[in-house]
Amino acid sequence: MKPGVMTWSLWVVALLASGSASADLARRRDAIVEVVQKVSPAVVYIGTEQEVESRFRGRRSPLEEFFGGMGGDPERQKIEGLGSGAIIDASGIIVTNDHVIRGASAIHVILADGRSFEAEVIGSDAGNDLAVLKVNAREPLPTAKLGTSSDLMIGETVVAIGSPFGLSKTVTAGVVSAVGRTFRADGRVYNDFVQTDAAINPGNSGGPLLNVDGEIIGINTAIFGGGAQGIGFAIPADKVRRIVDELTRFGKVRPAWVGIDTVDLAPRVARQLGWDRAYGALVSTVEPGSPAAQAGVKRGDVVAELGGSRIEDAEDFDTRVRGYPARSPFPLVLFREGGVRTVQVTPTEFPARMVEGLAWERLGLRVREGKRALAVAGVRPESVAAEVGLEPGDVILRVNNQLVPTAEAFREALLTARRGRSVLLLVQRGRYGYHITLPFEQGQGQRL
């Protein structure tokens, strides 16, 4: 064979091989690969620093071990944390979990391309475990689109991207295992979550859960404890959108009021009403003039669904309502007199008068603003506050470790705590401060 012919032949072979390789790459480029390449630039690593006090300096002596270090001067130490987040606006708006940044004295964000920024907290909400951060960049940043979760299908493919154990840009894939999932962790009830078998490990928290179109359908937030594998949870995108909008506009989630009391639906009562399902919550009270009353909700109605998902019991209803800020409407499906009807309820901000009534009825307290602090103005006889010895003039510094310098701050803290069994107060009398736990009195109204 002539040299020119050989050269031509080799070129043809190389071209064919190149074309074959390109075809092979195209064949391997499935939906998951496309999602990863599309969204990865918008997924960030979040590192935090938190300062804590330690009474030990370096290695402890046997004497310090025995006495627990008593007498030593406290030393401030830094604890580092990690998590993930997603850029949802090119101006530098990032969504993540509240527990990722809670208590942090410094937050830094690292983009997929290696750029690093200091971040500020725009707003956070522990109840919904969501936080919004802001970084300042010179040019628009890559973003991920916040999709919808109302049309999720069990079994559809999802992709999780994050930084598990600090390993940035890690991708896992799986399916939607369940929607509207409720679970308990750390003594709390978490409601209305998307369950997935895509691996979610420590450090994934705050990262996106994506559909095959590359849209965020959830924010990864938790893994199931007890050694379980393939069970992870994400906050659904529809709730994320409501809470992020609230945090971006107001810096906090405004407590919402609907005006309904519900109780668990006993089987005997359900039979009397003609309700043949094993779920639902019974409306026991409707506040006159409330959003629920205006929407047509009545005492004796069975709440079957809220926002498109069924209501299991009264606790489920209460938790789900808290996922809707003031002015965010939602549909309620009610069963009444043998028929099903749907009403639209638009919560309003919790009336101050009702919070004051809550404090008086369930704790036995009335407060007033002083020159420098919040003071007890009155104590209801035979209330839980009276039983522990609270007196007018006592100063209330904190409610559940939240500073309450004003009556408004007290109301907000009490609203946050109202569904617990008790509330922790830091009270000052004279030069001394005392932590006092007040159990919420039962049987008193607390209409949501």
Side-chain angles (χ1 to χ4, degrees), residues 18 78 92 97 254 265 269 272 287 291 298 308 314 358 389 413 446:
S18 175
K78 290 183 178 181
N97 286 143
R254 296 168 298 168
L265 189 58
V269 175
Q272 291 175 346
E287 183 75 16
K298 296 183 179 181
L358 178 69
Q446 52 167 341

Side-chain angles (χ1 to χ4, degrees), residues 258-281:
V258 174
I260 300 177
D261 263 345
T262 61
V263 296
D264 290 341
L265 189 58
R268 178 180 58 82
V269 175
R271 288 194 297 271
Q272 291 175 346
L273 295 173
W275 179 246
D276 59 356
R277 308 297 171 86
Y279 60 88

Side-chain angles (χ1 to χ4, degrees), residues 82-264:
L82 58 89
S84 305
I87 306 172
I88 58 172
D89 189 276
S91 64
I93 300 297
I94 298 170
V95 62
T96 185
N97 286 143
D98 169 78
H99 76 259
V100 169
I101 56 91
R102 189 182 308 151
S105 56
I107 304 171
H108 58 273
V109 170
I110 301 177
L111 273 60
D113 60 12
R115 284 180 291 172
S116 180
F117 300 91
E118 295 298 314
E120 63 173 317
V121 179
I122 299 299
S124 63
D125 182 69
N128 290 289
D129 198 18
L130 285 169
V132 176
L133 310 180
K134 177 73 165 64
V135 298
N136 295 316
R138 296 179 180 178
E139 64 279 332
L141 298 178
T143 63
K145 180 182 178 181
L146 190 58
T148 182
S149 54
S150 59
D151 61 355
L152 284 177
M153 299 176 289
I154 307 300
E156 72 170 285
T157 300
V158 289
V159 179
I161 307 179
S163 305
F165 304 105
L167 301 172
S168 61
K169 295 180 285 188
T170 295
V171 177
T172 57
V175 299
V176 174
S177 304
V179 295
R181 182 68 82 196
T182 297
F183 65 97
R184 294 179 180 270
D186 301 325
R188 291 183 54 188
V189 176
Y190 294 85
N191 197 281
D192 194 24
F193 275 71
V194 177
Q195 181 183 328
T196 178
D197 65 348
I200 298 176
N201 293 292
N204 270 114
S205 292
L209 188 68
L210 307 153
N211 61 18
V212 293
D213 293 325
E215 298 173 334
I216 300 175
I217 52 90
I219 294 297
N220 300 322
T221 190
I223 56 174
F224 197 78
Q229 296 182 7
I231 302 180
F233 298 99
I235 305 168
D238 294 342
K239 178 186 286 189
V240 173
R241 180 177 289 102
R242 293 192 299 267
I243 302 303
V244 166
D245 179 67
E246 192 81 355
L247 295 176
T248 303
R249 294 171 60 192
F250 303 102
K252 62 181 181 180
V253 175
R254 296 168 298 168
W257 178 59
V258 174
I260 300 177
D261 263 345
T262 61
V263 296
D264 290 341

Side-chain angles (χ1 to χ4, degrees), residues 292-306:
Q294 294 174 8
V297 182
K298 296 183 179 181
R299 181 182 179 185
D301 286 347
V302 176
V303 182
E305 295 182 10
L306 188 158

